[in-house]
Amino acid sequence: MQALPVPGTERYEVELTLDGPGGVTGECDCPYGLEGNFCKHLVALGLKVLAERESLPRQRKAARERAQDLDGWLSALSKDELLALLREQIDEDRQLRRRLELRAASVRGDLAAVRVRIRGLLDVGPFAQYGYVEYADARAYADQAGQAVSAIRALTGSGRAADAITLAREAMRLLAEAAESVDDSDGWLGQIGADLADAHLDACRAARPDPEQLARWLVGHALGDIDDGLTDIDPLDYEDVLGEEGIAVLWKSAVEAWRGNRRGWAEKYLMERLAKAGGDVDAVIAVHAADLSPNGHTHLVIARELDTARRPDEALRWAERGIQETRDLAAVDTALVDYLCERYTQADRLSDAVAVRGDHFRARRSLTAYQQLRAAARAADCWPAERGEALALLRADAERRQEGRNGDPVLVDALLDDKDVDAAWQAATQTGGHDRQWLALADQARPARPADALGVYLRLAEPLTKQTGNAIYERLVSLLLSIRDCHRCLETEDEFAVYVTALRTAQKRKRNLMRLMDEQGL
């Protein structure tokens, strides 16, 4: 392991291990390094080590000697001299003073004093400017808050786990309140919260508090609104502490809370968690069924739970009910439609799958719904009839759009997707089409109808000549290549040459466009 000074704008602690079992590894307390990445600071340290590799043995030896000298000097000091040295450091280092004061209070059994010092460690005041801890100071605050967790763990280790439980719960509340005033972009407080939850669980395992009271506290904590997710405690982690008696109270309290607020997210989540852990599928279903979403999503969730429980008939009924109870099929959860049609296909109920896809298409009339209807109808060998009805609807949409009414018709897209180029061309001519549809039409029609395609490409290219930007130039060059292909099919290359010459003359100031045209031989 090597530590060398590396210049930079921020101070980070970087450790590089050169000869570990995994090769070169390292740790850095910068945000990127804390995610387990080999950050640029480690790279910089590695480069410095390489640059000074010849002096590394000497530096390591010197470091060992300094450590031995320091240890020898401290060992030779008397008690009074050591105390004087320690007092000197306490006067200079506020953090060290707080840690030692907290440790002293713990040893004395002074719970009030420990509580005061933990409150001080969780106070954002010393780090806050204008009442808020900025990003640059969040790490320092988190380091101080982490000392509160260490103090609570120390209480458990010294045989005072009951006090540790009390202080851990107070610390959770204080940390949640503090989080509202801290820029925790890097998640420091989230880690402190997780450590605090672990400390509370360890204390409960050591102290063995009353299981009924613990169960009620766990439910209250799970349903409370002050935690803000910092201490994400799972009540089931306490199963060994609660025992059968506590688990029964936990379940009863959760049920009561859920019945009082069946639509509450926290109540639903807790009930679902407990029911799944207990293997009670019917209870899980009851939780979801009490608050069904209007788009059928909850019906799908229930169906999948029943599938997992190997109750496929009930699952299918719930999925069918979801479609029936959805007030607006245009807004239905498409995953529910897919699920139901898949189940119908597996059961060889192909006509039912077509019916569902047909209803969904008529409500939504999108290209995707058209494609799904086509796939289902082909499998049921009834696509010609279904296609006729579907296209009639899309044609009516296109005509309404032509009259200035609202709508986003997909008639041309559907015909193109069917590879019916002639019908798509006719539809676009009669009812209009978007530029992207005309471009797709020209691309598909070019081999058989080069003159028609040429007209489309020329029309689409003309407005681009008045615009600038590399993306515009790339689109224009792509169109020019298609125009050239049409002229080749028509054997009118001379006309294309005249067109390109005129274009170059008019656009000669656009150097990037000229470069792209040169690259394509235009």
Side-chain angles (χ1 to χ4, degrees):
M1 186 175 295
Q2 184 67 27
L4 295 171
V6 179
T9 56
E10 299 287 344
R11 294 183 61 85
Y12 295 114
E13 185 173 328
V14 188
E15 293 183 352
L16 187 66
T17 302
L18 302 176
D19 49 6
V24 178
T25 59
E27 295 180 359
C28 178
D29 61 0
C30 74
Y32 189 64
L34 287 169
E35 295 177 358
N37 300 298
F38 200 89
C39 66
K40 64 181 181 181
H41 308 106
L42 284 164
V43 173
L45 179 58
L47 292 173
K48 189 170 182 65
V49 168
L50 289 174
E52 302 182 9
R53 58 183 177 275
E54 294 181 358
S55 65
L56 284 182
R58 176 176 53 79
Q59 292 187 53
R60 285 176 168 174
K61 180 180 178 182
R64 286 194 297 270
E65 289 175 350
R66 288 196 300 271
Q68 291 170 358
D69 289 344
L70 177 60
D71 186 64
W73 176 67
L74 289 172
S75 299
L77 293 177
S78 67
K79 175 182 176 181
D80 291 339
E81 290 172 325
L82 285 172
L83 286 173
L85 179 61
L86 183 57
R87 291 189 181 103
E88 179 183 338
Q89 291 301 310
I90 288 174
D91 290 339
E92 296 177 358
D93 189 337
R94 184 178 63 180
Q95 300 294 342
L96 176 61
R97 170 182 286 277
R98 283 185 171 181
R99 289 198 298 270
L100 293 179
E101 286 175 344
L102 190 56
R103 186 171 297 182
S106 299
V107 170
R108 293 196 310 272
D110 189 347
L111 182 61
V114 174
R115 176 181 283 113
V116 169
R117 282 162 177 78
I118 285 180
R119 284 178 170 272
L121 291 171
L122 294 173
D123 179 18
V124 300
F127 302 89
Q129 296 182 4
Y130 310 108
Y132 189 76
V133 181
E134 302 291 344
Y135 174 80
D137 299 315
R139 172 66 188 276
Y141 172 72
D143 287 343
Q144 178 175 292
Q147 296 174 29
V149 181
S150 299
I152 291 169
R153 290 189 183 279
L155 284 173
T156 300
S158 63
R160 300 178 58 203
D163 291 339
I165 293 173
T166 301
L167 293 178
R169 294 177 183 178
E170 292 182 12
M172 290 177 193
R173 177 177 54 81
L174 293 171
L175 184 65
E177 293 173 356
E180 298 178 1
S181 304
V182 179
D183 181 349
D184 192 33
S185 300
D186 289 334
W188 298 111
L189 297 193
Q191 184 58 55
I192 299 299
D195 293 342
L196 193 54
D198 289 340
H200 179 264
L201 176 57
D202 291 341
C204 287
R205 284 174 172 161
R208 294 289 167 175
D210 178 83
E212 292 189 17
Q213 293 180 359
L214 176 60
R216 293 191 181 94
W217 181 86
L218 288 170
V219 171
H221 183 81
L223 302 182
D225 57 1
I226 66 166
D227 184 80
D228 197 30
L230 286 173
T231 48
D232 188 16
I233 291 178
D234 185 348
L236 292 176
D237 289 341
Y238 291 74
E239 189 172 4
D240 58 328
V241 182
L242 292 168
E244 293 184 5
E245 180 183 0
I247 290 294
V249 175
L250 183 71
W251 179 265
K252 180 181 178 182
S253 300
V255 170
E256 290 175 353
W258 171 67
R259 286 176 176 169
N261 185 17
R262 293 177 184 265
R263 294 191 173 185
W265 182 89
E267 288 81 359
K268 287 169 60 178
Y269 178 80
L270 179 60
M271 272 295 298
E272 182 183 358
R273 179 80 181 89
L274 295 176
K276 283 187 175 181
D280 192 340
V281 177
D282 291 319
V284 174
I285 293 171
V287 171
H288 291 300
D291 184 25
L292 294 171
S293 60
N295 70 345
H297 173 72
T298 319
H299 298 78
L300 176 61
V301 172
I302 292 173
R304 286 173 172 165
E305 291 286 351
L306 289 165
D307 276 335
T308 302
R310 298 183 179 181
R311 293 159 62 175
D313 293 341
E314 293 175 72
L316 180 59
R317 286 196 292 272
W318 269 102
E320 290 173 330
R321 177 179 164 184
I323 296 293
Q324 295 164 3
E325 295 181 356
T326 298
R327 292 190 289 270
D328 181 8
L329 272 179
V332 71
D333 186 345
T334 55
L336 174 62
V337 177
D338 294 340
Y339 172 90
L340 186 56
C341 290
E342 182 180 351
R343 289 295 305 272
Y344 281 153
T345 301
Q346 291 172 350
D348 201 28
R349 295 173 57 179
L350 302 181
S351 60
D352 289 332
V354 172
V356 172
R357 290 296 187 191
D359 289 342
H360 188 221
F361 168 76
R362 284 184 283 276
R364 181 163 291 192
R365 296 215 276 281
S366 67
L367 177 60
T368 299
Y370 180 84
Q371 293 167 331
Q372 292 170 331
L373 172 60
R374 181 178 61 200
R378 281 178 173 171
D381 199 23
C382 61
W383 176 230
E386 292 291 336
R387 181 175 187 261
E389 294 181 11
L391 291 177
L393 286 173
L394 295 179
R395 189 167 288 107
D397 287 344
E399 291 171 353
R400 280 194 294 271
R401 177 180 179 275
Q402 192 178 31
E403 295 171 0
R405 301 182 186 178
N406 293 330
D408 186 19
V410 294
L411 176 61
V412 175
D413 290 326
L415 291 169
L416 281 172
D417 202 63
D418 283 341
K419 308 301 181 187
D420 194 344
V421 179
D422 290 338
W425 196 285
Q426 182 180 7
T429 302
Q430 292 176 346
T431 62
H434 303 297
D435 284 349
R436 67 166 180 80
Q437 292 175 323
W438 277 112
L439 180 59
L441 272 168
D443 288 342
Q444 289 195 28
R446 189 167 66 209
R449 305 170 63 171
D452 291 335
L454 176 59
V456 172
Y457 292 136
L458 289 172
R459 179 180 65 79
L460 295 177
E462 196 277 332
L464 297 181
T465 62
K466 298 179 175 63
Q467 302 176 45
T468 58
N470 289 335
I472 296 295
Y473 300 154
E474 290 173 1
R475 288 167 56 193
L476 179 56
V477 169
S478 176
L479 286 170
L480 291 175
L481 292 173
S482 298
I483 291 170
R484 183 175 65 183
D485 286 346
C486 290
H487 277 292
R488 285 174 176 171
C489 291
L490 295 168
E491 298 181 354
T492 55
E493 289 95 330
D494 291 344
E495 291 183 21
F496 179 69
V498 173
Y499 173 79
V500 169
T501 300
L503 182 66
R504 276 184 167 277
T505 301
Q507 306 290 320
K508 62 183 178 181
R509 294 182 181 276
K510 299 176 179 177
R511 290 178 295 179
N512 285 350
L513 174 59
M514 295 298 103
R515 177 180 56 79
L516 288 174
M517 292 179 67
D518 289 340
E519 291 175 356
Q520 297 297 330
L522 295 168

